[in-house]
Amino acid sequence: MLTALAIWLGWQIVTALVVQRAPPESAVRIAPGSAQALSRAAEAELVAERPDQAADLAILTLRAAPFDLRALRVLGLVRARTDETAADELLTLAGNWSLRDDPSHAWLMNRRLRVGDYVGAYGHADTLARRRVELRPTLFRFFTTAAALDPRAMPVLIDRFGVMPNWRGEYLEYLRTQAEGPQIQAALAVAVNDRRGRMSDTELEAIYYDWAATGRLPGLRALRTRLSRPPLTPLHDGEFDDPPGPAPFRWVTVAAAGLSASLSEDGSRDGQKALLVETDGFGISDAAVQLLMLDPGPHVFSAAWRTEVGEDEPRMTWTLTCVESGQTLFSWTPDDAREWRRRQEPFVTPSVGCTMQRLRLTTSRGERRSTIVVWFDHFQIDPGTVKSQEN
């Protein structure tokens, strides 16, 4: 009895392996009553373009195993050739049984799209995009084209985007290469800005930098105005103590060979933060940069500074230039100041060719290396003309 039982168990193991791995025809011959063998054979017949045989095998499988997902999908795909309504019912059931049944979700996505059901189409596309990385370029093309051409699709895309799916970052990167990209980027950023899934500072930075680099300055100005990120002030974080926002509309400090710029606590003023710039007095580089959106007309730039270590020439200069034209609106090189001093620089923003401005601190090279340490604080830009003199 033990020998017979061992032989029987061995045969069952061999049969199970054959059903799983052998060619479908061989699996059916060895285990004709196996639902798994029958469903594999049904799938093979469908691939071989023998739909009638595929349907018969799928039906046999479902009689033996009513919850066999593969057989249900095969039967649904066969019915789709003659009766889409019946196929919809079968494949919807298969899709509901498993989020991993990619062929069912792909067919359902196209079916929903054909009947104008964008909620359903985007739902099935989202299911595929979350699992199948290799399908994302095709699915992203669907997301973008549908949203750009049909107003009904955009709200659905916004809802899917707003729940922060795992493909969100990759989709934003994809939009950078598409003609419709800026339109979709702006719609998504504005729509989710007051929601839980609003764009992060990092996501917005990528859009801001890309639009600035490609010359979409009027659109960039309009987008930042709508989002108010960072808050709409002439100069962001002039006291160096505000929460950070998306670059380049905040201070971007640079570390390079012989140069360090950081927001640090100033020990001489009970821990107040300020911009600390340290240089060897030999390198040439931007130490701090911020992009501005000033309105046309007269303005006054004011700042305070203190030299901690250095010579009479700090070897660093603040400049404000128009992004489009490159016109310099003012240039100021602070001198040696061992105590805190203030400076005002009047300037006029042109009405043409100056949609945005770039404020930057640039270090310059002296005849020899010399350590220079300067603190900056109390930056401000006000509309109007100078009301008081430097003190």
Side-chain angles (χ1 to χ4, degrees), residues 337-355:
R338 298 298 163 166
E339 300 294 334
W340 281 99
R341 296 179 61 189
R342 294 190 64 85
R343 172 83 176 193
Q344 290 186 329
E345 286 286 337
F347 65 95
V348 177
T349 305
S351 58
V352 178
C354 204
T355 303

Side-chain angles (χ1 to χ4, degrees), residues 226-243:
R226 287 288 302 273
L227 300 178
S228 190
R229 294 178 60 189
L232 294 172
T233 55
L235 178 71
H236 179 64
D237 194 16
E239 300 292 334
F240 300 100
D241 56 7
D242 290 342

Side-chain angles (χ1 to χ4, degrees), residues 365-384:
R365 177 176 299 179
E367 296 181 356
R368 58 185 177 83
R369 296 183 185 275
S370 176
T371 300
I372 300 170
V373 180
V374 182
W375 292 85
F376 295 96
D377 201 359
H378 304 305
F379 282 66
Q380 190 170 337
I381 294 180
D382 297 305

Side-chain angles (χ1 to χ4, degrees), residues 5-56:
L5 180 60
I7 293 172
W8 181 81
L9 289 174
W11 173 249
Q12 294 301 313
I13 293 172
V14 171
T15 301
L17 290 174
V18 169
V19 166
Q20 293 177 8
R21 301 180 182 180
E25 293 181 2
S26 301
V28 170
R29 281 197 296 268
I30 293 173
S34 168
Q36 186 176 11
L38 290 170
S39 67
R40 288 185 62 215
E43 189 174 53
E45 292 296 312
L46 181 62
V47 172
E49 288 297 324
R50 292 189 286 267
D52 293 339
Q53 293 90 325
D56 292 340

Side-chain angles (χ1 to χ4, degrees), residues 132-145:
R132 299 289 297 276
V133 175
E134 72 278 10
L135 294 178
R136 285 179 181 174
T138 301
L139 295 169
F140 291 166
R141 189 158 53 247
F142 157 62
F143 289 161
T144 305
T145 303

Side-chain angles (χ1 to χ4, degrees), residues 161 168-176 185 199 203:
F161 183 87
R168 172 164 149 160
E170 193 173 333
Y171 181 56
L172 286 174
E173 186 66 24
Y174 168 86
L175 288 174
R176 294 180 59 190
Q185 287 172 330
M199 285 191 182
E203 289 172 333

Side-chain angles (χ1 to χ4, degrees), residues 233-307:
T233 55
L235 178 71
H236 179 64
D237 194 16
E239 300 292 334
F240 300 100
D241 56 7
D242 290 342
F249 297 107
R250 62 166 171 82
W251 292 113
V252 179
T253 56
V254 177
L259 172 65
S260 173
S262 61
L263 306 185
S264 304
E265 290 188 356
D266 176 12
S268 68
R269 298 182 303 164
D270 297 327
Q272 292 186 39
K273 283 190 175 182
L275 175 64
L276 173 63
V277 181
E278 302 180 58
T279 175
D280 61 4
F282 200 68
I284 300 176
S285 178
D286 290 338
V289 183
Q290 184 175 149
L291 196 64
L292 309 180
M293 292 179 8
L294 301 175
D295 294 328
H299 295 83
V300 178
F301 166 81
S302 60
W305 82 100
R306 176 175 69 85
T307 305

Side-chain angles (χ1 to χ4, degrees), residues 217-218 321-327 352-357:
L217 298 185
T321 57
C322 298
V323 174
E324 294 106 313
S325 66
Q327 177 184 349
V352 178
C354 204
T355 303
M356 292 188 179
Q357 307 79 33

